[in-house]
Amino acid sequence: MSLQEMYLDCRAEGDLSLMRRSRCLLRQAMAHFLRLNIVKKLLLGFLPLIFLLLAFAALALFSLNILHTHSEAIIHTDIPIQDGAEEMVALVLDQERFAKRYALLPAGEILQLFESSSEKIQDIMTSLANLPGDRALPLTALARRQSNYHDFLWQTFIEDSGQQLDKFREAALERELETLQEELMVILASLKEAAWIDQRQKTSSSAAMGRIAFKIAATICGVGLLLSLGAAYLVTRNISTTIRKLVQATEQISQGDFDCELDISNSDEMGDLALAFKEMGQRLKHLEKSYKDASPLTGLPGGIAIERKMRNVLEDGGFFAFCMFDIDHFKAFNDRYGYSRGNQVIKSTAQIIEQVAEGVVDREETFVGHIGGDDFVLITRSSTYTDICGEITHRFDNIIPSYYGAEDRKLGHIVGKDRQGNLSRFPLAGLSVAVVTNKKRQINSYIQVGEIAAELKKAAKSRGGSIIIEDKRSSG
């Protein structure tokens, strides 16, 4: 749900004040956040840190760019202007000194030094004109003043060298020289001062930028830290609360309370875990009920579970086959070989029935139970129930001789007392199977199924050997 939709929902609820609308949006945003899976929650928790790093990077790059620009301007513009102005001041004074020296002692070396000073001044002005940036320098005025100054020195001290001047003329020339020199010095001083002021402004601006960057960085850090802590608190609190509820539910289940309610509304992996946990509790409850009624020898569900299963099958309707298995001559076998080996036969019989049932196509609709002693039940909706029972009796007949001694196997029977105490011959054990179905008749109760199965089992045992007898009588 978007924030706009949340806002409309809040308006629909009648929360007209800004504070109430804000609270409503916050609640709905929180509900939306809790519906996210854990991965998305963790990503949202890291987003403030990511934004913090990006903001820091942007701020650092912006600040470094300004500092770099100021540093470039100071190094390549302001400092060269100041150095050039100072050097030109020294060269202007050198020009005066060389011109006056030439007037006293005309020599080519002195004249060369004078011209060299003038050329250096021109070179410096050319360099200043080529400096980067759009700085407006008074180079035109400086060049004009320098030309006037150079021409005055040339005409006064070099061309007219050796002439005798009266004191008045000499004083007038000195005043004119001072005026020209002062004009030059004023321009050079203003050039140097302007560069120095610009340098100071850039330095101050860099320092101010550093302070601002620090404040912004501190603000971003504080906000990012609060957001990260808030997101981390929400995520960890949600997960820890769910885990605590699961721990409490585990303790209740360990104490036998399988109907414990889990108040967990998460839609993430923890919510899935809660649903699976609840389902597990119900399965454990079912297993506990089955275990209480299970046979301690085979672990198969007992009489109560068999009756419950059969009642469910009858209520659901549809075809079913109730197959009862009974081991023939089992009492004589126990008398001959003892209960320990008899228990082994019972376990093996249970394993055979379970293994065959595992291969049934409708496995979920097939149930195996142990009524007790040597009686077993298989309930199935499969139409191949005769094949299933045939496979069970076939496997039973294959293994049962191995439980007899070599002499009894050779004879094919054992000698023992019957229920009346008379000596009798008992064949090797077989498996009688009584099959009750609703294929031809309507069956309405478990009692009816039991009565029919008991009748069929009695008929099967009277015939001897492994045999399958199916009730084929119809309702009509």
Side-chain angles (χ1 to χ4, degrees):
M1 180 182 291
S2 65
L3 290 177
Q4 184 178 4
E5 292 172 339
M6 294 179 182
Y7 177 79
L8 293 176
D9 287 345
C10 291
R11 289 295 298 269
E13 292 176 7
D15 293 335
L16 300 178
S17 69
L18 179 61
M19 181 65 72
R20 290 183 178 179
R21 287 198 298 270
S22 299
R23 291 176 180 174
C24 182
L25 288 174
L26 182 60
R27 288 197 303 270
Q28 296 192 38
M30 184 66 65
H32 182 71
F33 174 78
L34 294 177
R35 284 196 294 270
L36 299 175
N37 59 38
I38 293 178
V39 174
K40 291 181 179 179
K41 287 178 182 177
L42 293 176
L43 287 176
L44 285 177
F46 283 114
L47 276 180
L49 293 177
I50 296 174
F51 288 146
L52 176 62
L53 291 176
L54 292 177
F56 266 129
L59 178 62
L61 291 174
F62 178 73
S63 303
L64 288 175
N65 182 57
I66 293 178
L67 294 176
H68 175 72
T69 302
H70 287 176
S71 299
E72 287 284 323
I74 292 173
I75 294 173
H76 298 292
T77 303
D78 295 330
I79 292 178
I81 290 175
Q82 295 177 59
D83 293 343
E86 289 181 359
E87 189 174 357
M88 282 191 289
V89 169
L91 291 172
V92 166
L93 296 177
D94 287 343
Q95 280 184 313
E96 179 188 2
R97 187 172 67 255
F98 293 141
K100 288 182 178 180
R101 185 181 299 176
Y102 184 85
L104 296 175
L105 182 62
E109 294 82 358
I110 298 175
L111 182 60
Q112 186 176 1
L113 291 172
F114 175 80
E115 292 297 338
S116 176
S117 300
S118 299
E119 291 174 359
K120 289 180 179 180
I121 291 175
Q122 294 297 327
D123 292 340
I124 293 173
M125 287 192 292
T126 301
S127 298
L128 295 180
N130 295 326
L131 290 176
D134 55 353
R135 185 75 60 81
L137 301 177
L139 296 180
T140 302
L142 179 62
R144 186 171 60 253
R145 296 288 191 281
Q146 166 59 22
S147 178
N148 294 338
Y149 182 70
H150 173 274
D151 293 343
F152 178 80
L153 292 176
W154 181 271
Q155 294 172 1
T156 302
F157 297 102
I158 296 178
E159 286 185 351
D160 299 335
S161 61
Q163 294 183 6
Q164 296 294 327
L165 300 176
D166 57 35
K167 293 183 180 180
F168 295 103
R169 177 60 179 166
E170 185 177 357
L173 291 175
E174 283 293 334
R175 287 194 296 273
E176 188 175 355
L177 175 61
E178 289 178 1
T179 301
L180 293 173
Q181 193 177 84
E182 184 177 356
E183 290 175 351
L184 265 176
M185 294 301 182
V186 168
I187 294 176
L188 292 174
S190 65
L191 190 65
K192 181 179 179 181
E193 183 178 6
W196 181 79
I197 291 174
D198 189 70
Q199 178 182 349
R200 186 175 62 181
Q201 289 177 346
K202 288 184 173 63
T203 304
S204 299
S205 176
S206 299
M209 184 63 201
R211 290 191 296 271
I212 294 173
F214 174 78
K215 292 179 181 179
I216 295 176
T219 303
I220 293 175
C221 183
V223 173
L225 182 61
L226 290 176
L227 290 175
S228 299
L229 290 175
Y233 171 76
L234 289 176
V235 174
T236 55
R237 181 175 179 272
N238 180 252
I239 294 176
S240 63
T241 301
T242 305
I243 292 176
R244 186 169 59 252
K245 291 179 179 179
L246 289 172
V247 171
Q248 293 174 353
T250 303
E251 293 176 353
Q252 292 178 357
I253 288 178
S254 66
Q255 295 172 2
D257 182 9
F258 299 106
D259 294 320
C260 60
E261 291 294 331
L262 283 171
D263 183 21
I264 297 176
S265 58
N266 293 34
S267 299
D268 54 14
E269 293 85 348
M270 300 302 291
D272 296 338
L273 179 61
L275 291 176
F277 196 89
K278 186 175 182 180
E279 183 179 353
M280 181 189 70
Q282 295 302 314
R283 293 288 297 274
L284 287 174
K285 180 180 180 181
H286 174 72
L287 290 174
E288 185 187 44
K289 289 181 179 178
S290 300
Y291 177 77
K292 288 180 178 178
D293 184 47
S295 167
L297 181 60
T298 62
L300 293 175
I304 298 175
I306 295 171
E307 181 178 354
R308 182 170 59 248
K309 175 64 177 178
M310 197 61 227
R311 291 184 187 280
N312 292 335
V313 169
L314 291 171
E315 290 175 2
D316 294 341
F319 171 78
F320 72 86
F322 179 91
C323 309
M324 179 180 289
F325 300 84
D326 181 75
I327 303 175
D328 299 332
H329 314 299
F330 185 69
K331 180 179 181 303
F333 178 88
N334 267 346
D335 293 341
R336 170 74 169 168
Y337 293 102
Y339 287 102
S340 177
R341 189 173 295 190
N343 288 339
Q344 293 178 15
V345 172
I346 290 176
K347 289 181 180 179
S348 296
T349 305
Q351 291 174 0
I352 290 173
I353 298 174
E354 282 190 291
Q355 290 170 2
V356 174
E358 286 290 338
V360 178
V361 175
D362 299 328
R363 177 65 187 93
E364 294 182 357
E365 298 293 335
T366 301
F367 174 87
V368 177
H370 186 186
I371 297 176
D374 59 332
D375 292 326
F376 297 89
V377 165
L378 183 144
I379 303 172
T380 181
R381 292 186 181 274
S382 175
S383 60
T384 61
Y385 59 92
T386 54
D387 296 334
I388 296 171
C389 294
E391 177 64 20
I392 292 172
T393 56
H394 174 71
R395 294 190 186 187
F396 179 86
D397 290 340
N398 285 338
I399 69 161
I400 194 63
S402 63
Y403 289 96
Y404 287 84
E407 184 179 351
D408 291 338
R409 284 199 302 270
K410 183 177 180 180
L411 293 173
H413 65 267
I414 60 176
V415 177
K417 292 183 180 181
D418 59 16
R419 296 184 182 278
Q420 288 75 32
N422 301 318
L423 288 176
S424 300
R425 291 183 177 182
F426 297 94
L428 301 185
L431 197 60
S432 296
V433 186
V435 181
V436 181
T437 71
N438 60 348
K439 184 166 60 174
K440 294 185 179 181
R441 69 157 77 184
Q442 183 176 357
I443 298 177
N444 300 318
S445 69
Y446 176 65
I447 296 176
Q448 184 181 2
V449 172
E451 291 175 349
I452 297 172
E455 182 182 353
L456 294 174
K457 186 177 76 168
K458 184 177 180 181
K461 294 179 74 68
S462 65
R463 298 185 184 183
S466 293
I467 187 173
I468 302 172
I469 295 184
E470 178 182 355
D471 178 33
K472 297 183 179 181
R473 291 170 292 183
S474 61
S475 299

